[in-house]
Amino acid sequence: MKFDKILKQAQKMQADMARIQEELANERIEGLAGGGMVKATVNGQGDILEVHLEREVIDPEEKEMLEDLIVAAINDAVRKSREVASQRMSGLTGGMGFPGLM
């Protein structure tokens, strides 16, 4: 393969990766805990966008439980976010699994 062809392929891959990263930044992924009483929304890059609590789950006497539910919802959303990002990147890399690409 000629160097110019390799260079063009690398540039295309870089442009595709930038496009995918932008799409992931705009993706909204929801994680749930407590039967949906606690919801966390993250983007495809794992950034927390919002947390929603149903009134019924807010009890000052159950502070630790609420904290655990919030963490569980966020972790669920982040895990789903990583799965989405991994799927998108594997389409780009053809499943080659380059380290550091997600």
Side-chain angles (χ1 to χ4, degrees), residues 32 38 71 73 80 100-101:
L32 304 172
V38 177
V71 169
K80 290 175 182 176
L101 290 183

Side-chain angles (χ1 to χ4, degrees), residues 2-15:
K2 292 186 178 184
F3 182 74
D4 61 329
K5 188 172 182 180
I6 293 172
L7 183 60
K8 284 182 184 182
Q9 285 180 334
Q11 289 171 336
K12 182 186 181 316
M13 183 181 259
Q14 185 177 19

Side-chain angles (χ1 to χ4, degrees), residues 56-70:
E56 297 82 7
V57 79
I58 302 171
D59 180 353
E61 300 297 319
E62 298 290 333
K63 177 182 175 288
E64 291 81 16
M65 180 196 67
L66 179 56
E67 290 169 345
D68 290 343
L69 289 173
I70 291 169

Side-chain angles (χ1 to χ4, degrees), residues 2-3 15 22 26 42-43 48 54 65 80 82 92:
K2 292 186 178 184
F3 182 74
E22 185 176 330
N26 293 319
V42 301
N43 66 18
I48 300 168
E54 293 293 330
M65 180 196 67
K80 290 175 182 176
R82 287 181 182 147
L92 174 65

Side-chain angles (χ1 to χ4, degrees), residues 24 27-34 38-52 68-86 102:
L24 288 171
E27 187 86 26
R28 293 179 61 88
I29 300 156
E30 189 174 88
L32 304 172
V38 177
K39 298 176 187 174
T41 305
V42 301
N43 66 18
Q45 295 175 329
D47 298 326
I48 300 168
L49 302 175
E50 63 184 39
V51 174
H52 175 79
D68 290 343
L69 289 173
I70 291 169
V71 169
I74 290 170
N75 284 336
D76 184 45
V78 169
R79 180 188 51 76
K80 290 175 182 176
S81 170
R82 287 181 182 147
E83 289 173 4
V84 168
S86 179
M102 294 310 280

